[in-house]
Amino acid sequence: MKLYSYWRSSAAYRVRIALNLKGLDYEIVAINLLEGAQGAESYRGVNPQALVPALEIDDALLTQSLAIIEYLDESHPEPPFLPSDPADRARARAFAQAIACDIHPLNNLRVLNYLRQELDQDKEAVGRWYCHWIAKGLGALEEVLNASPESATFCFGERPGLADICLIPQLHNAHRLECDVSQLRTLRRIEEECVKLPAFAEAAPDNQPDAG
């Protein structure tokens, strides 16, 4: 397997965690987003969206982190990323999509660069934008978990799954941008459990070959 990745990409971070949890070997192909490598003709031939990650498996080329993670879960069922109960599966998917589809798109590099370059926003304003959407989005997910009558080690059970795979990269970015997450006690407790696991630790941005 060949994973087109960037060390600080949240979406690529998710897929690295998923690959590690499944115990799969993969090669990292670094795409430097800050240098614009995602827009190069050679990479657009891999992914016309000019985004990471992309996962190359034999003759198949997969894009979009949630679709890749779903493929990995279907093709390598153990350990499963979703609960067995259908309603719990839907809740776990909703949690993951709230991060990948609602929070992250507002704070990804393309949006932040547009704020800086096209709208002439300074570092402080961009930081406020970032942390505002982190607080709104993760705050709601904190409420979701706190409303559950059952507590678990991870978001939806006693093993990490899709929700945790999406949560940890988003919290990592929140810490990096110095957003206040002190009130997110449940999410931070789950984060503490996740980062103890080799699959999460080895996927962390600072442990990637292109980190710098």
Side-chain angles (χ1 to χ4, degrees):
M1 293 187 187
K2 185 180 294 184
L3 177 65
Y4 296 86
S5 174
Y6 177 62
W7 67 293
R8 274 188 171 167
S9 163
S10 298
Y13 190 175
R14 295 175 203 139
V15 174
R16 295 194 301 263
I17 295 169
L19 287 163
N20 292 346
L21 285 171
K22 294 294 187 181
L24 300 173
D25 292 327
Y26 58 97
E27 172 192 354
I28 290 281
V29 178
I31 304 296
N32 193 319
L33 302 187
L34 292 185
E35 294 180 357
Q38 69 275 26
E41 184 176 349
S42 58
Y43 184 64
R44 291 183 67 89
V46 173
N47 184 0
Q49 284 188 292
L51 299 171
V52 295
L55 184 66
E56 190 176 303
I57 308 169
D58 299 324
D59 295 329
L61 196 289
L62 307 177
T63 61
Q64 291 293 333
S65 63
L66 293 187
I68 293 170
I69 293 166
E70 184 175 348
Y71 166 85
L72 294 174
D73 204 30
E74 292 176 351
S75 59
H76 301 83
E78 294 298 329
F81 288 156
L82 290 166
S84 57
D85 178 77
D88 288 338
R89 291 167 74 89
R91 293 185 186 101
R93 285 191 174 106
F95 188 105
Q97 289 171 14
I99 293 172
C101 305
D102 294 339
I103 302 172
H104 177 233
L106 290 168
N107 286 337
N108 71 13
L109 184 62
R110 293 186 300 174
V111 170
L112 301 183
N113 281 342
Y114 189 84
L115 290 171
R116 296 182 186 108
Q117 298 165 8
E118 301 298 326
L119 300 183
D120 198 28
Q121 298 299 302
D122 61 19
K123 181 178 180 180
E124 182 181 352
V126 172
R128 287 200 309 272
W129 168 278
Y130 197 105
C131 292
H132 170 79
W133 296 113
I134 287 286
K136 293 277 287 186
L138 293 186
L141 295 180
E142 175 83 359
E143 292 183 30
V144 167
L145 294 186
N146 288 342
S148 173
E150 300 177 2
S151 62
T153 302
F154 300 99
C155 289
F156 291 93
E158 294 307 311
R159 61 173 175 252
L162 178 63
D164 310 277
I165 289 168
C166 291
L167 173 63
I168 298 311
Q170 200 62 62
L171 278 173
H172 174 87
N173 282 350
H175 298 314
R176 184 169 63 87
L177 273 292
E178 299 182 346
C179 301
D180 182 10
V181 295
S182 60
Q183 300 303 311
L184 306 178
R185 294 183 178 86
T186 299
L187 297 185
R188 289 190 294 111
R189 175 188 60 74
I190 292 168
E191 179 187 30
E192 290 175 2
E193 295 297 330
C194 286
V195 298
K196 295 175 185 176
L197 302 176
F200 285 82
E202 291 166 9
D206 289 344
N207 292 330
Q208 300 315 298
D210 56 326

